[in-house]
Amino acid sequence: MNLANKLTVMRVVLIPVFLLLLYLGFPGCSYFALAVFVIASLTDFLDGQIARRKNMVTTFGKFLDPLADKMLVFAALLWFCAAGRFPVWAMALVAAREFAVSGLRMIAASEGKVMAAAWSGKIKTASTMVCIILMFFPVPPLVDWICTLVIVLTTVYSGVEYFVKNRGVISFE
């Protein structure tokens, strides 16, 4: 297993550590969980850089990297939903976009087509992770709503862009 894949696996392993820290509820646990989230988020950036620069792109990495990203983001957003800081309707939109884009990618792959990641998807991921990090701090409810708005808008925009750019993948006949 190459270094890029090891970083991706590390991100997956850090997800239950992140959640465990949140659920233990000891004083300051959310800051320890935040540190784990930041480390896991950084592995997302690093594994991609390493894989591309050192020509370490693998089928395993292509599968696990986006899955690990979604698992990490879903874990954090679901935590904020449970805490009443991220609306369930927004979580439903995020989940719907992820399922729809994953489905589109599966259809494309079954036809031998590759859907390149769009910049809007990268912006969505980065802005979502920044917003999640902000929400770990004791911020006013307005900041939670701004973060919700940023997450929803970038999620919807990038989802629509994927479907528009790849409209030929789905046949309606």
Side-chain angles (χ1 to χ4, degrees):
M1 183 178 307
N2 67 37
L3 178 59
N5 288 342
K6 286 178 184 175
L7 287 169
T8 301
V9 169
M10 185 176 114
R11 185 162 64 256
V12 172
V13 170
L14 286 175
I15 295 167
V17 173
F18 166 71
L19 289 171
L20 179 64
L21 286 167
L22 288 170
Y23 279 99
L24 287 176
F26 61 86
C29 68
S30 64
Y31 293 111
F32 286 104
L34 172 60
V36 170
F37 183 85
V38 168
I39 291 166
S41 296
L42 289 174
T43 67
D44 178 32
F45 174 75
L46 286 175
D47 65 7
Q49 292 293 318
I50 291 168
R52 284 184 291 279
R53 285 190 183 153
K54 305 241 183 208
N55 198 23
M56 294 179 172
V57 176
T58 65
T59 304
F60 177 77
K62 288 179 190 177
F63 165 74
L64 192 59
D65 180 66
L67 183 60
D69 296 345
K70 289 168 185 47
M71 290 167 49
L72 179 63
V73 167
F74 276 37
L77 291 180
L78 287 169
W79 171 260
F80 287 120
C81 281
R85 296 188 55 205
F86 190 75
V88 173
W89 63 263
M91 185 68 222
L93 278 173
V94 170
R97 183 263 187 212
E98 297 304 337
F99 287 130
V101 169
S102 294
L104 186 63
R105 285 183 182 276
M106 284 188 273
I107 292 168
S110 73
E111 295 176 1
K113 299 175 184 171
V114 177
M115 283 178 42
W119 273 104
S120 66
K122 294 180 185 302
I123 290 168
K124 179 224 23 131
T125 299
S127 62
T128 296
M129 289 187 173
V130 167
C131 284
I132 288 170
I133 290 166
L134 279 174
M135 291 173 71
F136 268 99
F137 292 99
V139 296
L142 177 62
V143 174
D144 285 347
W145 274 105
I146 291 169
C147 285
T148 298
L149 187 62
V150 167
I151 291 168
V152 167
L153 291 177
T154 58
T155 295
V156 170
Y157 179 85
S158 68
V160 168
E161 183 184 45
Y162 268 106
F163 275 85
V164 169
K165 284 186 173 181
N166 298 286
R167 62 186 166 271
V169 170
I170 298 176
S171 171
F172 292 99
E173 298 173 6

